[in-house]
Amino acid sequence: MDGLASFFEYIGRQSDDLLTAGIQHAIYLVTVVVSATIVSVSLGIWTRNRPVAREFALATASVFLTLPSLALFVLFIPVFGLGFWPPFVALFMYAILPILRNTVTGLSEVNPAVMESARGMGLSSRQILWQVQIPLAWPVIIAGVRVSSLLTAGIAAIATLVAGGGLGDFIKEGLSRLGLPNGIEAIWTGTVFIVLLALLFDAMFVLIRRLTTPAGLR
């Protein structure tokens, strides 16, 4: 109980810094996930009828995900310097694969009979894409966006090591003060609020999926 009281007391003292770090972390989440969604969905649409290009895009995105996160963050310092951009670019690269794979999967799983029916009704290829394929694939695509948001929330903690800010600042501070007063509390604060922020964004995407998915597909 003393440890829990100390934890909440630490949060109370650090409320201003916690709010600032939380906003920085949320900015990474929003900018990275939105950018990765636009690029990945566009790439998935462009490669839907191009098997070689599709496999190349998926393989490249898979390679991105295997790169060590800390090394990737540091590699971009000579190009972008310290601060926001190295973490953003690295997180963007990590966020692509789940959305791209789900976009490809969702589009490929649309029943060919449904598309033939749409053609029989006189719809053009573009109309079939936007009025049939995308709506039917959307629940699968948004599931990929949810995975990317959770992935981004966790890895963004490393941004603190390249002066990128975010809730990882508390974890870094706690590790530097390990064994000293408030060291453990700082680590727990960063960890708990990263999890809470990830769950908040996940719930937001669940709501978006429900509001944007046709009733018959829910």
Side-chain angles (χ1 to χ4, degrees):
M1 291 299 294
D2 289 342
L4 194 59
S6 177
F7 172 67
F8 284 111
E9 182 182 345
Y10 177 80
I11 291 176
R13 293 199 308 269
Q14 300 292 326
S15 57
D16 290 342
D17 291 340
L18 186 58
L19 178 61
T20 300
I23 291 173
Q24 291 172 341
H25 213 95
I27 289 172
Y28 280 120
L29 268 168
V30 172
T31 56
V32 167
V33 173
V34 169
S35 301
T37 299
I38 292 171
V39 171
S40 299
V41 173
S42 300
L43 191 57
I45 291 172
W46 182 74
T47 61
R48 71 189 187 283
N49 297 321
R50 298 176 173 88
V52 175
R54 181 172 63 243
E55 292 305 317
F56 178 77
L58 287 170
T60 302
S62 299
V63 170
F64 289 161
L65 205 58
T66 65
L67 298 173
S69 52
L70 180 56
L72 192 59
F73 279 43
V74 173
L75 284 175
F76 288 116
I77 293 177
V79 180
F80 299 107
L82 296 173
F84 174 82
W85 287 107
F88 172 83
V89 175
L91 291 168
F92 172 79
M93 292 170 65
Y94 285 129
I96 289 175
L97 180 61
I99 306 173
L100 177 59
R101 186 176 295 281
N102 278 38
T103 301
V104 168
T105 301
L107 292 174
S108 65
E109 288 182 349
V110 175
N111 193 328
V114 175
M115 297 174 62
E116 284 300 322
S117 298
R119 290 192 186 95
M121 294 172 62
L123 296 181
S124 66
S125 296
R126 184 180 296 274
Q127 289 174 319
I128 291 173
L129 171 64
W130 292 106
Q131 297 179 27
V132 179
Q133 287 182 282
I134 294 294
L136 291 175
W138 181 245
V140 180
I141 295 172
I142 199 70
V145 176
R146 290 176 62 189
V147 172
S148 280
S149 70
L150 295 173
L151 187 69
T152 301
I155 301 178
I158 304 176
T160 185
L161 299 179
V162 292
L167 292 165
D169 285 352
F170 286 91
I171 297 175
K172 183 178 73 172
E173 178 188 351
L175 290 173
S176 68
R177 295 177 54 83
L178 204 58
L180 299 174
N182 297 323
I184 294 296
E185 286 83 355
I187 294 173
W188 273 109
T189 297
T191 303
V192 168
F193 278 89
I194 287 172
V195 172
L196 291 176
L197 188 63
L199 293 176
L200 176 63
F201 271 78
D202 189 58
M204 181 183 70
F205 285 121
V206 169
L207 179 60
I208 291 174
R209 182 187 64 182
R210 181 169 182 81
L211 294 176
T212 56
T213 301
L217 298 177
R218 292 174 188 166

